[in-house]
């Protein structure tokens, strides 16, 4: 069965620290990959996505993610976090041609001013 | 300029009392989804409409039904809510791309938090 793993449940960083959130998925076929963010009290918003092409994708607010097919990974990075990045981050995977988006359990990021 | 709207944002119902959650969209997307998200868990797809075609996930309980009267609206009906159905219910929309059933990015509404007493 298809699954998505986010190994970090809660990450606490100081402002200006670098961020990397891990995401691994288990599906051998072609996939589309997403990172969504949920700020406190708000709805899920798309940060970035990978469908094809350059495996290093850039999203909003300075986030980027790298798709490494051999490792089944799609880690999220940001070189310098801000207090406003405090939120829950969800990795999600969908098999190309399908409609079922599989989510990881989420990583809560707390940035301390 | 809300794009995916869910009403109500908070719903309280009694054990066994039917409840309906609603979702509307201004994106004119042809695919609409309902997800259930329990506390500290990932959102889980219940079903989706591809245009008028209803697609139920294999493990979605019969207690959950859905209606899509037109492109803009989709409803989630819980016929006899149990305590285990307390959760956040998320509606999402997307559009097909490339002339086949592959769908583009899903856009989510704010969710309805359901409490069952």
């Amino acid at each position: 069965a298809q699954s998505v793993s986010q190994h970090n449940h809660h990450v606490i960083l100081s402002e200006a620290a670098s961020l990397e959130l891990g995401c691994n998925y288990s599906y051998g076929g072609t996939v589309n990959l997403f990172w969504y963010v949920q700020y406190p009290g708000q709805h899920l918003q798309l940060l970035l996505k990978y469908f094809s092409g350059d495996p290093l994708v850039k999203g909003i607010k300075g986030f980027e993610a790298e798709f490494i097919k051999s490792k089944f990974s799609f880690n999220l990075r940001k070189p310098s976090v801000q207090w406003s990045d405090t939120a829950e981050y969800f990795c999600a995977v969908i098999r190309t041609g399908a409609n079922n988006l599989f989510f990881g359990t989420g990583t809560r990021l707390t940035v301390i001013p | 300029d809300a794009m995916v709207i869910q009403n109500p944002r908070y719903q309280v119902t009694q054990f066994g009392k039917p409840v309906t959650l609603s979702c509307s969209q201004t994106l004119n997307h042809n695919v609409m989804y309902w997800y259930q998200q329990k506390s500290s868990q990932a959102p889980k797809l219940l079903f989706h409409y591809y245009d008028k075609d209803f697609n139920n996930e294999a493990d979605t309980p019969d207690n959950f039904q859905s209606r899509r009267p037109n492109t803009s609206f989709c409803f989630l009906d819980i016929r006899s809510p149990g305590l285990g159905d307390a959760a956040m219910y998320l509606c999402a929309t997307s559009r097909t791309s490339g002339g086949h059933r592959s769908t583009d990015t899903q856009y989510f509404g704010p969710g309805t938090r359901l409490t069952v007493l």
Side-chain angles (χ1 to χ4, degrees):
Chain A
Q2 192 167 326
S3 67
V4 182
S5 299
Q6 291 181 245
H7 307 293
N8 312 106
H9 296 293
H10 190 190
V11 173
I12 302 173
L13 295 173
S14 298
E15 273 194 317
S18 65
L19 170 73
E20 180 158 3
L21 301 182
C23 173
N24 289 90
Y25 64 95
S26 63
Y27 181 71
T30 306
V31 295
N32 298 332
L33 299 150
F34 305 82
W35 275 97
Y36 283 88
V37 61
Q38 190 168 28
Y39 298 104
Q42 296 188 28
H43 61 280
L44 283 165
Q45 300 172 44
L46 182 69
L47 260 185
L48 48 77
K49 63 183 179 183
Y50 172 81
F51 277 29
S52 63
D54 189 343
L56 183 63
V57 291
K58 296 192 184 297
I60 60 172
K61 305 187 181 188
F63 285 91
E64 66 178 29
E66 185 175 12
F67 171 49
I68 302 179
K69 189 175 182 180
S70 60
K71 295 185 178 180
F72 298 89
S73 70
F74 190 55
N75 291 355
L76 181 71
R77 300 193 291 249
K78 185 171 184 178
S80 177
V81 294
Q82 302 172 312
W83 175 80
S84 58
D85 293 325
T86 294
E88 186 107 21
Y89 292 81
F90 291 92
C91 180
V93 175
I94 191 167
R95 182 169 50 88
T96 303
N99 289 294
N100 194 346
L101 190 60
F102 286 92
F103 282 88
T105 51
T107 297
R108 188 180 352 149
L109 172 66
T110 301
V111 180
I112 302 169
Chain B
D1 54 341
M3 295 183 291
V4 183
I5 303 157
Q6 290 189 243
N7 286 305
R9 294 291 306 276
Y10 300 89
Q11 176 73 58
V12 180
T13 190
Q14 292 178 328
F15 183 94
K17 186 174 181 182
V19 66
T20 295
L21 310 182
S22 73
C23 176
S24 63
Q25 52 128 341
T26 60
L27 296 163
N28 203 32
H29 284 172
N30 60 325
V31 192
M32 294 186 77
Y33 309 79
W34 280 104
Y35 288 84
Q36 179 192 63
Q37 185 180 20
K38 295 187 176 181
S39 181
S40 302
Q41 296 184 23
K44 180 178 175 298
L45 183 66
L46 294 172
F47 27 58
H48 73 276
Y49 272 94
Y50 187 103
D51 295 319
K52 294 183 179 179
D53 294 337
F54 177 70
N55 298 270
N56 199 31
E57 292 303 300
D59 55 355
T60 297
D62 292 340
N63 198 24
F64 292 86
Q65 304 286 320
S66 185
R67 296 170 284 135
R68 189 179 185 187
N70 53 54
T71 301
S72 300
F73 286 87
C74 195
F75 300 98
L76 170 62
D77 300 308
I78 309 177
R79 292 191 298 190
S80 182
L83 298 178
D85 297 328
M88 178 74 85
Y89 289 88
L90 303 172
C91 176
T93 74
S94 69
R95 58 179 179 154
T96 49
S97 59
H100 48 71
R101 290 183 75 95
S102 289
T103 55
D104 208 325
T105 304
Q106 294 185 22
Y107 294 88
F108 286 82
T112 295
R113 184 169 295 283
L114 177 68
T115 300
V116 181
L117 301 177

